[in-house]
Amino acid sequence: MNPSLTFKAGVHDVLPTVFGYIGVGLAFGIVAHTSHLSLLVVAGLSFIVYAGSAQFIITSMLLLHDPLSAIFISTFLVNSRMILMSTSLAQYFRHESLTRNLLIGSLVTDETFALAMNKQNKTNGKLSFAWQSAANVVAYLVWGIATIVGAVLGGLITNPERFGFDFALTAMFIGLVYLQLISDRHLGLSLQLMVMLFVALIYYFMIGIMSQNFALLVATVTGCLFGMEMKKCR
């Protein structure tokens, strides 16, 4: 990853990440097909909802015939972390118009956010609209196409869990965490590991008194505050 912030550089930087999108996208398409969702519904979920973990949850809830209200609330809670990510990312685009900020925010994902954080480590804390848009759009298109291809291939695979497709999303997040740990020299490995442990502990205790999604949100916010205080003490 070089310091360039052009559109072309954004496409180049996001390419290694899209292999994860392809794997998870194919997995979602196959799982959705085996859950009896039509190709049109799969495409709609991918290009409108555009949220990997939420799409898996929506698929399972549709299969169980859960009410739409429960599906909407669950999707919002699962994706509520994007509020924190977009707020963090917005500081790099204060000079851009509201329209451009909305375009960036509407397509940002866990992966493109992590990529942006890694990128700003190489550019002295700077990002550009062209670079971020390239990363977002390429990821968006690859995800959508991969899920549709997966849905088409789903007719050939009757038991996706047998091939570990249900673990694809988890595997990609582990890879992203690893990249963050080795690339951010400013924070340091020890501080990052300490914050990760703190978040894991908070989540572990909170999950016993509230839903998983609320516990995740509480652990994330608390982890941010803990990280800020620990950084001041360094």
Side-chain angles (χ1 to χ4, degrees):
M1 185 181 289
N2 59 58
S4 176
L5 288 169
T6 62
F7 187 91
K8 183 178 179 180
V11 174
H12 178 270
D13 291 339
V14 79
L15 285 180
T17 306
V18 300
F19 287 105
Y21 277 84
I22 293 172
V24 180
L26 289 173
F28 170 73
I30 293 169
V31 170
H33 181 273
T34 57
S35 299
H36 310 294
L37 296 187
S38 68
L39 194 62
L40 182 61
V41 172
V42 172
L45 286 172
S46 297
F47 287 111
I48 298 176
V49 177
Y50 185 45
S53 55
Q55 288 178 219
F56 279 97
I57 292 173
I58 291 171
T59 299
S60 63
M61 293 183 76
L62 288 174
L63 188 63
L64 295 173
H65 303 290
D66 286 330
L68 288 177
S69 58
I71 295 176
F72 290 151
I73 293 172
S74 297
T75 302
F76 174 78
L77 291 176
V78 170
N79 285 337
S80 59
R81 69 189 186 283
M82 303 309 301
I83 298 174
L84 300 176
M85 292 184 185
S86 297
T87 301
S88 177
L89 196 61
Q91 63 178 311
Y92 299 99
F93 301 99
R94 292 173 180 171
H95 59 286
E96 299 290 354
S97 65
L98 176 61
T99 300
R100 286 193 167 190
N101 273 273
L102 290 174
L103 288 173
I104 291 173
S106 62
L107 292 181
V108 71
T109 63
D110 298 284
E111 295 77 24
T112 56
F113 173 79
L115 187 68
M117 294 302 99
N118 288 332
K119 184 68 174 184
Q120 59 89 27
N121 290 327
K122 309 288 185 181
T123 60
N124 296 319
K126 295 180 181 179
L127 294 173
S128 72
F129 175 76
W131 182 90
Q132 189 67 55
S133 295
N136 284 351
V137 171
V138 170
Y140 175 71
L141 293 176
V142 170
W143 171 258
I145 294 171
T147 59
I148 292 173
V149 172
V152 173
L153 294 176
L156 306 176
I157 302 176
T158 57
N159 185 16
E161 288 81 8
R162 176 184 175 188
F163 299 95
F165 286 126
D166 52 332
F167 191 72
L169 194 64
T170 304
M172 185 167 66
F173 280 130
I174 291 173
L176 290 170
V177 170
Y178 172 73
L179 289 175
Q180 174 63 27
L181 288 174
I182 65 173
S183 64
D184 198 333
R185 298 185 179 89
H186 176 65
L187 292 177
L189 180 62
S190 60
L191 177 59
Q192 293 184 79
L193 289 175
M194 189 182 303
V195 172
M196 289 173 61
L197 178 61
F198 179 82
V199 171
L201 288 173
I202 293 296
Y203 179 72
Y204 176 78
F205 288 112
M206 289 295 103
I207 202 173
I209 58 176
M210 60 181 65
S211 69
Q212 293 181 6
N213 294 324
F214 271 124
L216 179 61
L217 186 59
V218 170
T220 301
V221 174
T222 309
C224 290
L225 297 175
F226 176 76
M228 289 169 55
E229 291 303 316
M230 292 302 298
K231 188 177 179 181
K232 292 178 183 178
C233 296
R234 294 180 67 189

